Amino acid sequence: MAEITLQDIIKPENQVYVKTKLMTDKNLSYCPGCGHGTAHRLIMEVVEELGQENDAIGIAPVGCSVLAYEFMNVDMQEAAHGRAPALATAVKRLWPNKLVFSYQGDGDLAAIGTAETIHACNRGEQIVMVFINNGIYGMTGGQMAPTTLPGMKTSTSPYGRDLQSMGNPLKMTELVAQLPGTYYVTRQAVHTPSAVRKAKRCIRKAFQNQLDGKPGVSFIEIVSNCNSGWKMEPVASNIWMEENMFPYYELGDLKVDGQLVEKK
Amino acid sequence: MTEEIIIAGFGGQGVLSMGKILAYSGIMQDQEVSWFPAYGPEMRGGTANVTVIVSDERISSPTLTAYDTAVILNQQSMDKFEEAVKPGGVLIYDPNGISHHPTRKDIKIYKIEGAKIAAQMGNTKIFNMVVLGGYLQVKPIVKLENVIRGLKKSLHERYHKLIPLNEDAITMGMKNVVEVK
Amino acid sequence: MGELRLMKGNEALAEAAIRAGVDGYFGYPITPQSEVIEYLMAEKPFERTGMVVLQAESEVASINMLYGGGGTGKKVMTSSSSPGISLMQEGLSYMAGAEIPCVVANVVRGGPGLGDIQPAQSDYFQSVKGGGHGDYRLPVLAPASVQEMSDFVPLSFDLAFKYRTPVLIVSDGLIGQMMEKVELFDTIPRLTDEEVIARYPWATNGKPKGKERRILTSLDLDPHKLEKHNFHLQDKYKQIREEEVRYEMIDCDDADYIIIAYGSSARISQKTLQLAREEGIKVGLLRPITLWPFPKQPIDDLVNKGVKGFLSVEMSAGQMVEDIRLTVRERTKVEHFGRYGGVIHSPEEVLEALKNKIIGD
Ligand SMILES: Cc1ncc(C[n+]2csc(CCOP(=O)(O)OP(=O)(O)O)c2C)c(N)n1
Ligand code: SF4
């Protein structure tokens, strides 16, 4: 049998997977094993599949995904730290027929941007908000986030998060689900193929809500890893996430079609 | 005496801590020192470098464009810093992973097989100490006893048991640095 | 002699906060100064001196924690870098109005906007001209070494309480990230609650029996009263201008030309001085230590002595040079040189600029 060369493998007819053209060819700036890249790809695949390439406008945060505009191949704006929902609000109100989304980390969305998050959700802005919760500040070198778990070590909680002096992990998603302005609220993950498929369905639903003119925010939390900040190998970080993050941040829908989901 | 040094290599090679130990050694013998790293995204998986100055006088600029000595531990740093050595200055490098060897004729060039020696000694983590030994052989700007005192100051107490190993590594480096003619 | 250590500028600032008897540090992470809060959290000052350390949810919260804490007469401090300091301007304006002492350290990075994380000096205007709304000024100290990152903490608190004003320590990524030898001063015990009450009768720490309660506010809806309050603030600023100017002069006695530079630019320019003297060019360095109040008198004296020109060297597009021009008033040449956006100029570039812009034609 003739040997298969790299050139053979990458021939179009042999490809079983093609990257969406809505992801640029830029090398991702994320650490190997980080969930940010997967989340980017899912959003862009959905935008492409919905045929919204020319109508989507994204807002990038300040955090590791500050350069999301380098990778997502649609019109993008870069917000100040925490303010993405305010930018998205105005973009959507001034261009009501465009598909508007924000993308933020937990420091960005749940610490410095709490007010913007709560009020965009409370006003019921017709936008998609994607929230990457990795329990830490990745970009600045692993400091404590509002979502950092009890006892978890970070560079500003070097002896573990002490709830008494540092407060409790903030479940922003549960909080915004309570607001009448949110229409769809869900918490997903992207660390396994099945989780990815599920997360993609949710992202699609969120964007579809906006296209269908459904009232209110579609809010998707993605519980993700920060293997660098957690100081773990990528695989170990995913196991740690399943064992520690998921029990605290339970996956699943919190609100669908404007109705809170009953806990079983 | 003023010695202006750039130490450059990959992140994770111990470039910054080697500079720190050198700076601490200077303090131990009452000299002025400065240590300024390239910081920020440049570090993430990429190159790392630090400018160290040891002097008998108050130090002026902590960042420089020309150096008395360059300690070079990867090819990118060689490309960047060979030209930055002052005429008559010193370039010390580990040939491991170097494809384009230095060619300047107006400086002194030394080789130290740091990676190889550290591997032979059974601990790749002491690589930077072997290189430091090589440097100190060529430029004995600080006394070995002050380096050991510097090590004690810069290492956390729970690592103090590793000091003899580090001392051996420095000695091995001193013995094995060779001038390239 | 105090304890000698090799420390980063950011770490020295943090250690100095503990030793200066600071009661509370409130901050939010941002590069290139996150080491300050990281150092404090690791050092557990709450065990060493009882100092409170809290990671706030934002810089807006941090500065308002200072407003509240400083208003009770306690020593409070925060640190940040340019984008975070911009967010604090509202709080600083309120505190200037309500006359609340505090210390704010800015480890400046490249801007505008998110900019980058490399060293810059482009926050000069924001620091020395007030920064927020209203007629106010804040004393601004510019450390040029790790030693000064430590020494300026207690000095800043002295000024903050003497004049009841926020005080800024403005360094940059170079000073913050660099390690140098630093001699640490001995710990100054924190004031006891009784001492705070006795020393600061204006502070709101509970209405004293038989005395008037205290109100801390920047609001006065009666314009005449507000004008009077502004007169009072201006008198205070006048006194600061007269009494608190600090600067350093290096090799100025025989100099034909003067470089004016602060912080890390002053360090770089010191090397330029050496290079210039090797070529027989007599250059001196005037280093403002207080950026506000600005050292006008020494500049005036140098003009009167007949120096042939001033080069303002800043890691910015030229901000301090405006204050130099206001002082020199066209009596001799004043030019600016500096790299910006996070690029650090080299001593050789400064010398070139001196030759081209000042000595030149
Ligand atoms: C006003 C302001 N304050 C602080 C910062 C520094 N900063 C940049 S990103 C970040 C937090 C990032 O964490 P997160 O949002 O959780 O995103 P991740 O990096 O983990 O993806 C901070 C504090 C900033 N850029 N601007
Ligand atoms: S630091 Fe953490 S969040 Fe940032 S890219 Fe790396 S793994 Fe991802």
Side-chain angles (χ1 to χ4, degrees):
Chain A
M1 205 174 87
E3 230 174 84
I4 305 175
T5 67
L6 182 66
Q7 292 314 313
D8 295 327
I9 297 172
I10 62 174
K11 273 187 192 149
E13 61 269 29
N14 290 334
Q15 287 175 1
V16 288
Y17 163 76
V18 185
K19 164 171 85 72
T20 161
K21 68 173 194 298
L22 293 193
M23 286 294 283
T24 63
D25 286 334
K26 269 251 158 90
N27 282 345
L28 291 175
S29 52
Y30 303 112
C31 307
C34 174
H36 270 303
T38 317
H40 283 16
R41 198 192 77 209
L42 295 185
I43 297 168
M44 285 300 102
E45 283 178 359
V46 165
V47 171
E48 185 182 21
E49 286 160 21
L50 293 173
Q52 295 295 311
E53 169 178 3
N54 304 108
D55 290 308
I57 304 170
I59 313 292
V62 178
C64 279
S65 46
V66 64
L67 292 177
Y69 55 79
E70 294 276 354
F71 315 126
M72 297 190 189
N73 204 356
V74 295
D75 273 5
M76 299 280 295
Q77 294 188 9
E78 156 53 22
H81 195 22
R83 317 301 177 210
L87 274 73
T89 294
V91 173
K92 183 68 185 181
R93 294 220 179 194
L94 298 171
W95 293 88
N97 296 328
K98 298 291 167 184
L99 188 68
V100 180
F101 67 95
S102 58
Y103 183 102
Q104 299 175 267
D106 42 23
D108 199 75
L109 179 141
I112 191 166
T114 311
E116 285 76 4
T117 303
I118 297 276
H119 287 283
C121 289
N122 194 49
R123 286 189 306 262
E125 299 298 338
Q126 227 180 62
I127 56 176
V128 173
M129 294 177 65
V130 180
F131 167 35
I132 308 294
N133 173 9
N134 57 17
I136 205 161
Y137 289 7
M139 163 136 235
T140 38
Q143 294 85 5
M144 185 180 72
T147 46
T148 295
L149 295 177
M152 185 171 162
K153 284 187 182 163
T154 69
S155 67
T156 52
S157 58
Y159 308 101
R161 182 177 188 153
D162 165 37
L163 298 189
Q164 220 191 328
S165 63
M166 301 170 180
N168 298 280
L170 186 55
K171 296 188 177 180
M172 200 55 148
T173 306
E174 273 77 356
L175 227 100
V176 301
Q178 300 303 318
L179 301 172
T182 49
Y183 185 76
Y184 174 49
V185 180
T186 188
R187 185 184 278 125
Q188 300 296 328
V190 292
H191 67 309
T192 63
S194 69
V196 165
R197 278 193 292 274
K198 212 157 159 221
K200 185 168 170 185
R201 279 200 296 278
C202 297
I203 294 172
R204 183 181 247 282
K205 187 176 170 70
F207 279 95
Q208 191 65 51
N209 284 340
Q210 193 181 147
L211 287 177
D212 294 346
K214 294 290 198 286
V217 173
S218 290
F219 189 100
I220 303 154
E221 172 178 340
I222 292 174
V223 182
S224 189
N225 63 337
C226 173
N227 38 292
S228 290
W230 299 354
K231 304 201 187 322
M232 290 176 200
E233 306 270 322
V235 175
S237 76
N238 282 333
I239 295 170
W240 191 89
M241 176 170 69
E242 285 181 344
E243 289 174 353
N244 298 278
M245 296 281 281
F246 292 175
Y248 206 94
Y249 300 109
E250 250 178 90
L251 303 190
D253 291 339
L254 287 88
K255 196 178 197 179
V256 179
D257 298 341
Q259 298 299 316
L260 283 171
V261 174
E262 293 288 325
K263 274 239 169 108
K264 278 158 259 162
Chain B
M1 190 281 306
T2 296
E3 164 81 346
E4 298 172 334
I5 315 150
I6 178 94
I7 309 170
F10 288 118
Q13 274 180 322
V15 165
L16 301 187
S17 60
M18 174 179 163
K20 194 171 161 186
I21 291 160
L22 194 57
Y24 246 126
S25 316
I27 293 184
M28 292 301 133
Q29 47 189 50
D30 279 341
Q31 283 164 310
E32 299 300 322
V33 299
S34 75
W35 174 101
F36 181 60
Y39 67 90
E42 205 179 334
M43 308 256 312
R44 206 164 267 175
T47 58
N49 71 65
V50 60
T51 303
V52 177
I53 305 175
V54 180
S55 178
D56 296 330
E57 288 149 42
R58 178 174 162 180
I59 292 168
S60 59
S61 177
T63 72
L64 301 162
T65 48
Y67 308 91
D68 298 313
T69 305
V71 177
I72 292 181
L73 304 174
N74 67 6
Q75 186 62 50
Q76 281 118 301
S77 304
M78 185 68 84
D79 299 341
K80 200 164 162 190
F81 294 113
E82 181 184 351
E83 288 310 314
V85 180
K86 294 179 196 166
V90 166
L91 187 158
I92 302 173
Y93 76 108
D94 186 332
N96 180 34
I98 298 286
S99 46
H100 306 289
H101 292 257
T103 53
R104 277 183 57 183
K105 295 280 172 262
D106 59 338
I107 58 174
K108 287 198 162 190
I109 297 172
Y110 297 84
K111 255 194 224 182
I112 174 79
E113 294 270 5
K116 209 158 140 191
I117 293 168
Q120 281 162 0
M121 292 178 72
N123 189 338
T124 49
K125 287 211 177 110
I126 54 170
F127 162 73
N128 60 348
M129 291 296 104
V130 178
V131 176
L132 179 62
Y135 167 77
L136 289 173
Q137 179 67 25
V138 178
K139 285 265 176 121
I141 57 161
V142 284
K143 292 206 190 93
L144 186 58
E145 64 192 68
N146 289 324
V147 178
I148 305 304
R149 285 170 66 203
L151 259 172
K152 275 197 187 127
K153 269 283 212 176
S154 61
L155 284 181
H156 194 278
E157 269 190 32
R158 71 177 166 243
Y159 298 117
H160 277 192
K161 58 178 189 291
L162 295 174
I163 287 177
L165 177 67
N166 281 279
E167 195 171 351
D168 290 348
I170 294 172
T171 316
M172 282 300 278
M174 286 179 149
K175 281 189 194 142
N176 286 289
V177 63
V178 287
E179 187 171 357
V180 184
K181 290 251 164 85
Chain C
M1 193 153 127
E3 189 188 343
L4 276 187
R5 275 209 231 157
L6 180 70
M7 293 181 112
K8 283 191 177 188
N10 288 334
E11 295 168 344
L13 183 92
E15 177 62 31
I18 304 173
R19 290 178 182 239
V22 170
D23 297 297
Y25 172 95
F26 305 89
Y28 187 74
I30 184 167
T31 314
Q33 67 77 52
S34 296
E35 291 86 357
V36 178
I37 186 168
E38 289 173 352
Y39 183 94
L40 288 173
M41 286 297 191
E43 271 299 310
K44 301 195 203 176
F46 23 95
E47 289 176 10
R48 270 174 65 182
T49 65
M51 172 182 174
V52 170
V53 185
L54 184 64
Q55 180 177 330
E57 72 274 24
S58 71
E59 294 85 352
V60 176
S62 312
I63 196 70
N64 286 291
M65 289 171 182
L66 262 58
Y67 190 174
T72 66
K74 298 269 180 173
K75 281 187 184 173
V76 290
M77 178 171 170
T78 188
S79 60
S80 186
S81 179
S82 311
I85 299 289
S86 290
L87 282 178
M88 294 184 188
Q89 296 307 327
E90 177 195 53
L92 285 168
S93 168
Y94 277 68
M95 291 168 91
E99 303 195 79
I100 311 285
C102 72
V103 174
V104 176
N106 182 1
V107 183
V108 180
R109 60 190 237 180
L114 203 49
D116 61 21
I117 59 175
Q118 301 303 323
Q121 297 182 311
S122 40
D123 293 0
Y124 177 90
F125 283 153
Q126 189 195 51
S127 311
V128 306
K129 308 282 177 192
H133 59 283
D135 267 327
Y136 73 93
R137 298 291 177 118
L138 305 177
V140 183
L141 291 164
S145 62
V146 174
Q147 185 66 52
E148 288 185 343
M149 283 291 261
S150 164
D151 295 347
F152 287 2
V153 173
L155 173 61
S156 297
F157 275 105
D158 288 348
L159 295 172
F161 277 89
K162 179 170 174 195
Y163 295 102
R164 279 186 62 187
T165 175
V167 173
L168 302 182
I169 298 176
V170 174
S171 68
D172 60 61
L174 199 159
I175 305 286
Q177 294 294 328
M178 154 171 86
M179 285 208 276
E180 285 188 312
K181 179 161 83 176
V182 46
E183 185 183 341
L184 297 168
F185 56 89
D186 292 336
T187 301
I188 305 161
R190 289 177 47 236
L191 295 185
T192 62
D193 289 353
E194 293 70 32
E195 285 171 324
V196 170
I197 290 168
R199 262 192 217 190
Y200 310 122
W202 49 264
T204 53
N205 33 41
K207 179 178 170 237
K209 279 207 186 85
K211 287 194 184 158
E212 280 291 300
R213 73 193 175 101
R214 282 77 45 111
I215 299 174
L216 293 172
T217 179
S218 59
L219 172 77
D220 206 325
L221 290 176
D222 177 343
H224 297 287
K225 282 197 191 155
L226 188 59
E227 187 184 42
K228 215 173 137 213
H229 177 58
N230 268 282
F231 285 150
H232 158 69
L233 291 180
Q234 293 304 321
D235 285 346
K236 174 163 94 176
Y237 301 146
K238 182 161 173 278
Q239 190 192 347
I240 296 174
R241 278 196 188 94
E242 283 163 4
E243 294 178 14
E244 304 300 346
V245 173
R246 287 172 171 77
Y247 59 90
E248 182 188 9
M249 285 173 118
I250 300 174
D251 295 346
C252 288
D253 289 345
D254 66 340
D256 294 324
Y257 310 99
I258 301 290
I259 291 174
I260 304 184
Y262 66 92
S264 48
S265 275
R267 293 291 295 271
I268 294 162
S269 300
Q270 248 174 282
K271 183 94 185 174
T272 307
L273 256 51
Q274 289 168 21
L275 299 175
R277 297 243 165 199
E278 281 165 20
E279 294 186 21
I281 307 170
K282 289 186 194 155
V283 192
L285 174 71
L286 172 66
R287 173 170 80 94
I289 292 173
T290 49
L291 303 183
W292 191 87
F294 191 67
K296 290 188 173 171
Q297 191 59 49
I299 295 177
D300 216 48
D301 293 346
L302 287 163
V303 174
N304 291 334
K305 243 179 69 184
V307 302
K308 297 178 194 155
F310 294 91
L311 184 68
S312 180
V313 178
E314 318 165 54
M315 293 192 290
S316 80
Q319 301 191 6
M320 180 176 68
V321 67
E322 293 192 3
D323 285 334
I324 301 172
R325 289 204 171 108
L326 282 173
T327 312
V328 173
R329 287 174 280 118
E330 318 243 322
R331 287 174 289 169
T332 183
K333 211 173 196 178
V334 178
E335 295 291 342
H336 159 264
F337 172 73
R339 303 290 301 267
Y340 38 106
V343 179
I344 307 173
H345 34 248
S346 69
E348 291 82 2
E349 281 177 319
V350 176
L351 182 58
E352 272 308 302
L354 184 77
K355 287 181 186 167
N356 294 337
K357 296 188 170 200
I358 300 290
I359 304 175
D361 29 79

